[in-house]
Amino acid sequence: MAETCDNHDVVVIGAGFAGLYALHKLRGLGYDVHAVEAGSGVGGTWYWNRYPGARCDVDSIDYCYLFSPELHAEWTWTERYAGQPEILRYAEHVAERFDLLPLITFDTRVTGADFDSSTDRWTVRTDRGDEIRCRFLITAVGCLSAVRTPSLPGLDRFAGRIAHTGRWPRDGVDFTGARAGVVGTGSSGIQLIPRIAESADHLTVFQRTPHYSVPARNRPLSGRELRSAQQSYADAVQQALSTSGGYYMPPPDRSALADPPDARSARYERKWASGGMEILSTYNDLLLDPVANDTLAEFVRDKIRQIVTDPETAAALQPTSYPIGTKRICLDTDYYATYNRLDVTLVDLRVTPIEQVVETGVVTAGRLHELDVLVFATGYDAITGPLTGLGLRGTDGRALAEHWADGPQTLLGVAVAGFPNLFTITGPGSPSVLTNVIRSIEQHVDWIADCLEYLRVRGATRIEAETQAQEEWTAQVTYFADFTLYPRADSWYLGANIEGKPRQFMPYVAGLHTFRRACDEVAGAGYRGFRLG
Ligand code: N01
């Protein structure tokens, strides 16, 4: 149905975790706010990523909102790391509990938006032919939502079923008795592969670059753990404000090189046994010093050699070409052990690249791997892709993609010069994917809400980042990243997974606490670096 209302104060694009909170917060302040969502339901990432094994890699007791103490106290998580169905139920619960559904138009994709400087309003267009006008436009489109499928020669000839982890069919994919293939071994592939292996007749994994993975050690939460988390709301809020990731991680107290090898291994063993990403914070220089980093990388490679019985497969699974942690570390359940199954084959694409896809399967170096189902776990045009895909045009008539042709430029990750009254939640230049992203979302939304209130009190109808402030912020983001080992990997953090995408480290690495201070200082100084009108 075409949207006719001309008078929204705010339009939000997306009804995932960012969009839901933006709707709740802004309506609570009295704004007329409406969201447009491409999916048929809320949840964003957790709506689309329904593949078997999809699970969060942040503890469930942290991966939830803090904006409502009541919500925090009443919701019961069941596992250490929540699976996709449970997180989706949580998002749906939030939407219902706070009566957000009437504010959302579903099954509708934004196809373009232009800003009219004579009225200080955006006109947003959708694939249903709507034209929606609003004073402020907020993107809540996530960092990992623009899926990427490689254009393999002959792919359109494949007669079997094709699925992408990031657009998993709502009716599921039945692997029972099937010959399945998976391309991609990042977080999605590593979660999916053991699950497919359980039911498929045969699974072929096409791996280009091995990723480092550590055990998740997922388990049911005890009642005591859950009660303690629910009762520590004030602590969680404090941690959101004061920590780098927005949640508690035991702070490392020394360099990896300060411990003798035996003591270091013992520490890594304890982290391996308890599971999770915490292994990266065993020491304070693992992401700063290549020699320190290699002690952990070698520890994980050694684990792979111990778990995988076939030496050739074990060798192919060991990452050596980039420091551990500089691509998002993966958490798994039985990933490496899956390669000990007789019905699972690893194809190392560095040795035998994919030549083409044919009707019956995938051909590598002259060998046909016959398949009934082909799954792409090939990732995303991350961070910028969801934004440049919206068709936003700036005041100069040029698309956002053109503005960012040499790399994204933002002020605080939330605003773009030439795009007045646009706010980009968890945009490039914000900590986003390097933090518990729900904390980053809450920080950005709260900051945007304060900003709108500031404008409202002053009767201002327009705010826009200044080019110089934007350039300085973007330079700072790169400057901080260059202190770390992150730029040494060809990761999606840098856009390196997308051909032709400018290589620029996009997330802000100095932590959510530091970022929050920077944002607060800007606001406290009357939105320094922004032009108000
Ligand atoms: O995507 P990825 P993802 N031929 O980009 C391969 C979050 N997430 O969906 O490394 C062959 O990491 C590519 O190979 P290479 C998390 O932040 C979180 O797995 O480019 N292979 C790589 O192996 C994560 O980092 C959770 O050489 C090709 C894989 O596809 C982010 O999402 C779960 C190829 C892509 O890996 C993205 O993860 C899932 C080609 N042409 C996702 N093109 C949790 O919370 C690409 N590849 C646990």
Side-chain angles (χ1 to χ4, degrees), residues 45-46 49 51 53-58 144 148-152 164-166 183-191 206-211 322 327-331 349 354 376-380 433 490 492-493 496-497:
T45 284
W46 301 103
N49 281 263
Y51 60 87
R55 189 175 290 288
C56 192
D57 57 7
V58 174
L144 295 160
R148 176 179 165 272
T149 303
S151 44
L152 302 176
H164 192 291
T165 50
V183 183
T185 52
S187 298
S188 304
I190 279 177
Q191 288 186 327
F206 299 93
Q207 172 194 269
R208 192 165 63 183
T209 311
H211 280 232
Y322 61 96
K327 288 187 177 195
R328 174 88 165 192
I329 198 163
C330 304
L331 301 193
L349 299 180
I354 294 177
F376 288 100
T378 44
Y380 301 86
V433 291
D490 289 336
W492 56 258
Y493 296 138
N497 63 327

Side-chain angles (χ1 to χ4, degrees), residues 418-435:
F419 292 76
N421 294 3
L422 171 72
F423 297 96
T424 52
I425 302 173
T426 64
S430 74
S432 66
V433 291
L434 298 182
T435 65

Side-chain angles (χ1 to χ4, degrees), residues 12 29 44 54 152 178 181 191 211 219 241 255 270 321 323 326 338 343 359 371 374 378 431 436 441 447 466 527:
V12 177
L29 291 169
L152 302 176
Q191 288 186 327
H211 280 232
R219 55 178 169 73
L241 297 176
S255 158
R270 282 196 292 279
S321 58
T326 55
T338 296
D343 53 4
E359 201 179 337
L371 302 173
L374 179 56
T378 44
N436 172 357
I441 284 168
W447 189 91
E466 288 174 353
Y527 294 88

Side-chain angles (χ1 to χ4, degrees), residues 409 417-418 465-472 529 531:
Q409 299 263 325
E466 288 174 353
T467 305
Q468 191 186 335
Q470 172 172 280
E471 282 171 1
E472 286 168 7
R531 213 171 21 251

Side-chain angles (χ1 to χ4, degrees), residues 141-226:
V141 288
C143 294
L144 295 160
S145 53
V147 299
R148 176 179 165 272
T149 303
S151 44
L152 302 176
L155 184 56
D156 54 348
R157 286 202 301 260
F158 183 60
R161 187 153 190 199
I162 294 178
H164 192 291
T165 50
R167 286 286 176 278
W168 203 254
R170 288 191 78 175
D171 58 350
V173 179
D174 185 5
F175 291 98
T176 316
R179 295 163 302 176
V182 174
V183 183
T185 52
S187 298
S188 304
I190 279 177
Q191 288 186 327
L192 175 81
I193 284 162
R195 295 294 304 279
I196 297 186
E198 286 165 9
S199 55
D201 181 52
H202 190 273
L203 171 63
T204 307
V205 177
F206 299 93
Q207 172 194 269
R208 192 165 63 183
T209 311
H211 280 232
Y212 295 93
S213 188
V214 300
R217 309 274 183 226
N218 186 40
R219 55 178 169 73
L221 281 175
S222 71
R224 195 170 54 80
E225 284 174 306
L226 186 64

Side-chain angles (χ1 to χ4, degrees), residues 295-368:
T295 63
L296 178 58
E298 186 51 26
F299 174 85
V300 173
R301 286 191 287 263
D302 197 41
K303 287 289 181 197
I304 299 169
R305 289 189 287 269
Q306 287 169 26
I307 298 169
V308 179
T309 49
D310 173 47
E312 204 179 313
T313 307
L317 286 167
Q318 291 168 50
T320 52
S321 58
Y322 61 96
I324 186 168
T326 55
K327 288 187 177 195
R328 174 88 165 192
I329 198 163
C330 304
L331 301 193
D332 73 88
T333 302
D334 299 331
Y335 174 65
Y336 293 119
T338 296
Y339 292 96
N340 293 335
R341 296 177 65 118
L342 296 176
D343 53 4
V344 174
T345 307
L346 180 69
V347 177
D348 186 345
L349 299 180
R350 294 166 301 178
V351 182
T352 54
I354 294 177
E355 283 170 0
Q356 60 172 322
V357 180
V358 294
E359 201 179 337
T360 51
V362 170
V363 180
T364 58
R367 178 176 167 200
L368 171 63

